[in-house]
Amino acid sequence: MALSVGMPFNEGEEKMHRLLRVPGQDNPTSTMLTLQALSMSQRAPLLAFGTLDAQSRPWTTLWGVVQALVVDAEKGGIPDPKYGGKLVAGLAIDLMTRKRVKSAGRLIAGTVREVDVEVEGEPETKQDQIQLVTKIEQSLGNCPKYLNQYEIQPALVRSELEAEGPSLSDEGKTLGSKSDMFFLSTSTEDDMNVNHRGGPSEFLRIISSKKIVYPEHSGNRLYQSLGNLQLNPKIGITFPNYENGDVLYITGTTEILVGTDVATLLPGSNLAVKITIEETRFVAGGLPFRGVRKLPSPYNPLGRTLVSEGNIRSSLTSGRQTALALDFKQELDTGYEHMRDDDPTSLNDDFVRTFTISSSPNSTDGNEKEFEITIRKVGPVTKFLFQQNERAGFEVPILGVGGEFGIRQDAKGLTPFIAGGCGDNAAAGAVARFRFIAREDVGLAVDTLKRYPELAKCTEVFFTGDVEAWGVKYVTRRLTNNDFDGIEAERWYLCAGKLLREEIMSWLTGKTIVFEDFDY
C-alpha cells in the first residue's frame, strides 16, 4: 500500500500566512499522484502546463512550454533530463463541471512526432504532437470557485506568431483586458505550481504596456502560488481566447500588494499581484480547442478599477463632496469561510459602499452636518439599512467624503446629461437631456420632478413600462442611438451603471464624455 507523507509549507507560504494572519493549518498536498488526480488527469478536456526556459523564467502551456521542453530536439528525439529532470507542473481542469487537480514533478523523457489529426468538420491533416513522461511528486485537488463555465471542443492548430517583445502589443492588451480567466506558473528551486485565476470579464487591469495587475480573491488560504512568489518573484501567465483560439503568453516578475499598497492602485481590493512584463508572445489560432461560454462562477465578485481609471474610492476625502463612503463590516462581515454557497459573492465583499449625497449639508449645532443619501434595496448593505429603526438610530463609520463629478454648463448650446440607475440621484439640479428609468424607480423620478419643477422642462425620461405624464416628456421604451440625432454638443455628462454606460459611450465616439466610475 502506498502512503502519502504530509508536506510541510515552504517558507514563502508561511510568510503569506503570517502576513495575512491565517490560523495554523495542515498542508493537504499529497506527495504522490492520488487516485483523484489520476482520474481527473485522464478525463479533463484541458491541461494547463508549466515549466522553465533556459533563463529560468516560467511559461505556462503551449508555445513557451513547447520550446522550453524540447529546445532543439528533432522529431523523435528525447530531451536530456539534466539535474534529475526539468521542473514541470500541470493543472487538469474541466470547465463544465468546475473541477481541477494540480500536479507537479520532474520531466523524465519526452518526444515530438507527427500524427494524423481528425477534427469534425475539418479535413484530416498532420500535426506535431508532444508526449511527455513525468515523475509526479505532489498533487492537490482544488475547489470550483471562480471557474467560469466553458464547453470545450477540439480544433486544429493553425498558429501564427503575430507579436512578440518586451511589452504588450495592441492585440495582447485587448485579449488580456477582456479575459475572465488565465493560467499562471510559479516556481522555487525545487518546486513548481500551475493554477487558475478567474473572475468577471476585465478583472485583470492593464496599467501600461509593461505592467498589469490582478486582484487575489478569497480562496483556500494555502497561498501556494503567492508563497512561491515570495521566494521567487518570477511568473508565467497564459490568457486564452476560447472563441477564436488566440492566446497571449507573458513571463515577468511580480510584486505582492497588501493593505495600503493595494488601495493606492486598485481600491476595493485587499490583496493583489502586480506584474512587470519581461517578454510576451501573441499567437493567433494557437489553441488546440475552442470553447463556448456557459455560466459565470457564482463566486465572481464585482470588478475593481484602477485609480487612474476613475475608481471613486481614490477621490474620497478630497474635492467636491458628492459621494459618501460608509463601512458596514462590523455589522455584516461574518469572517472567513472557504465556501458559502448560500451567498457566494459575500466572500469577497468588504461591505464598504459609496452613496451619492443628494442634499446640501446643513449644520445642526455648529459641529455636526446633516445631509441626505438616496438608496434603493439592491444588496446586503441597503437591505440592512431598510431593516433599521429610524427612531432607535445606529452608527456606522464614515471612511470619507469626496467625489469629483461636476457639471459645467456651456454658455451656448445644450449641456446633455444622461442618467440611469445610480445616476438618477445626480439628476436633481442638473441640466438634463435624457434620463433612463426602470419601472421600480418611478417613485424616485416623480419625487425629484416635484421638488424641481424646472427640471421637467428640459428632461426626457425613457421608461420600460407604462407611466403617467407629469409635466415631462416621456417615452415608454429604451433609449437608442437614434435619440441622440440632432443634438449638437461636444461635452456629454453621464452617470449610469456599467452596461448602460458602455453602450452609450459606444454611441458617442469622438465626443468628450465626463463620468464617474462606480464599478467596484
Side-chain angles (χ1 to χ4, degrees), residues 392-448:
F394 75 101
E395 295 183 356
V396 61
I398 296 178
L399 295 184
V401 181
E404 295 292 334
F405 188 84
I407 296 177
R408 186 186 69 204
Q409 298 187 38
D410 294 333
K412 297 181 180 179
L414 188 68
T415 303
F417 180 96
I418 309 169
C422 60
D424 296 339
N425 299 342
V431 175
R433 178 69 168 118
F434 297 104
R435 296 172 71 210
F436 179 75
I437 309 291
R439 179 176 302 195
E440 58 267 27
D441 295 326
V442 170
L444 174 62
V446 171
D447 180 70
T448 300

Side-chain angles (χ1 to χ4, degrees), residues 328 332 353 355 373-388:
F328 293 84
L332 298 175
R353 296 293 187 272
F355 300 94
I373 61 174
T374 305
I375 65 173
R376 183 159 59 95
K377 191 188 297 186
V378 293
V381 169
T382 48
K383 179 181 178 181
F384 169 78
L385 288 174
F386 271 89
Q387 292 172 342
Q388 302 310 305

Side-chain angles (χ1 to χ4, degrees), residues 187-207:
S187 66
T188 64
E189 288 186 0
D190 56 3
D191 182 28
M192 192 150 195
N193 183 75
V194 173
N195 212 335
H196 156 278
R197 292 294 184 270
S201 296
E202 305 180 4
F203 77 102
L204 176 121
R205 311 309 298 174
I206 308 292
I207 302 173

Side-chain angles (χ1 to χ4, degrees), residues 41-347:
S41 298
Q42 293 175 322
R43 293 184 295 106
L46 175 62
L47 176 68
F49 204 78
T51 192
L52 306 178
D53 65 12
Q55 302 175 51
S56 297
R57 300 178 304 182
W59 291 89
T60 308
T61 199
L62 299 188
W63 186 273
V65 170
V66 170
Q67 288 194 334
L69 286 171
V70 302
V71 195
D72 298 322
E74 298 179 357
K75 290 183 180 180
I78 300 177
D80 180 19
K82 298 178 181 179
Y83 311 112
K86 180 186 288 288
L87 284 173
V88 293
L91 177 72
I93 187 168
D94 188 327
L95 294 177
M96 278 302 293
T97 62
R98 292 193 170 107
K99 293 181 179 180
R100 53 180 165 155
V101 169
K102 296 194 298 182
S103 61
R106 292 185 179 273
L107 175 64
I108 302 301
T111 183
V112 183
R113 64 192 182 99
E114 194 173 68
V115 298
D116 295 325
V117 177
E118 186 174 349
V119 174
E120 184 177 352
E122 298 279 357
E124 184 175 325
T125 185
K126 293 182 179 294
Q127 296 198 325
D128 290 342
Q129 181 186 81
I130 295 179
Q131 293 182 345
L132 302 176
V133 179
T134 60
K135 178 185 177 183
I136 301 300
E137 297 174 340
Q138 54 182 279
S139 63
L140 174 68
N142 278 161
C143 68
K145 290 164 67 176
Y146 316 120
L147 285 174
N148 299 310
Q149 274 189 334
Y150 280 86
E151 185 175 13
I152 301 297
Q153 299 292 338
L156 294 178
V157 176
R158 295 189 175 92
S159 60
E160 181 178 349
L161 180 61
E162 289 197 348
E164 64 178 328
S167 59
L168 288 172
S169 64
D170 290 341
E171 300 93 337
K173 285 182 180 179
T174 299
L175 176 51
S177 64
K178 299 295 184 182
S179 292
D180 64 358
M181 72 173 64
F182 60 83
F183 301 94
L184 68 158
S185 296
T186 60
S187 66
T188 64
E189 288 186 0
D190 56 3
D191 182 28
M192 192 150 195
N193 183 75
V194 173
N195 212 335
H196 156 278
R197 292 294 184 270
S201 296
E202 305 180 4
F203 77 102
L204 176 121
R205 311 309 298 174
I206 308 292
I207 302 173
S208 68
S209 61
K210 290 285 294 183
K211 294 183 184 294
I212 58 178
V213 65
Y214 73 89
E216 281 280 344
H217 305 322
S218 172
N220 57 19
R221 302 209 292 186
L222 298 180
Y223 296 110
Q224 292 179 326
S225 295
L226 269 60
N228 285 354
L229 294 177
Q230 288 283 6
L231 302 178
N232 176 11
K234 296 181 179 181
I235 193 171
I237 292 182
T238 290
F239 296 90
N241 184 327
Y242 294 115
E243 183 177 352
N244 61 15
D246 293 348
V247 59
L248 169 66
Y249 300 100
I250 291 175
T251 189
T253 57
T254 60
E255 180 183 356
I256 299 173
L257 306 178
V258 181
T260 55
D261 292 334
V262 183
T264 57
L265 180 65
L266 197 65
S269 298
N270 298 318
L271 180 64
V273 176
K274 183 169 70 172
I275 300 167
T276 300
I277 296 170
E278 290 187 0
E279 187 173 349
T280 72
R281 294 176 182 176
F282 183 88
V283 182
L287 297 179
F289 51 82
R290 298 292 183 268
V292 177
R293 188 176 184 183
K294 298 299 183 178
L295 297 176
S297 168
Y299 282 90
N300 285 346
L302 294 175
R304 309 292 198 228
T305 53
L306 299 170
V307 168
S308 60
E309 295 174 308
N311 191 319
I312 189 173
R313 294 189 181 188
S314 66
S315 65
L316 296 174
T317 73
S318 67
R320 294 167 54 93
Q321 296 185 352
T322 59
L324 174 73
L326 302 176
D327 186 352
F328 293 84
K329 272 196 290 291
Q330 294 181 358
E331 302 291 341
L332 298 175
D333 193 357
T334 59
Y336 172 80
E337 288 183 55
H338 182 207
M339 304 286 282
R340 195 180 296 163
D341 290 338
D342 61 325
D343 189 12
T345 57
S346 65
L347 292 185

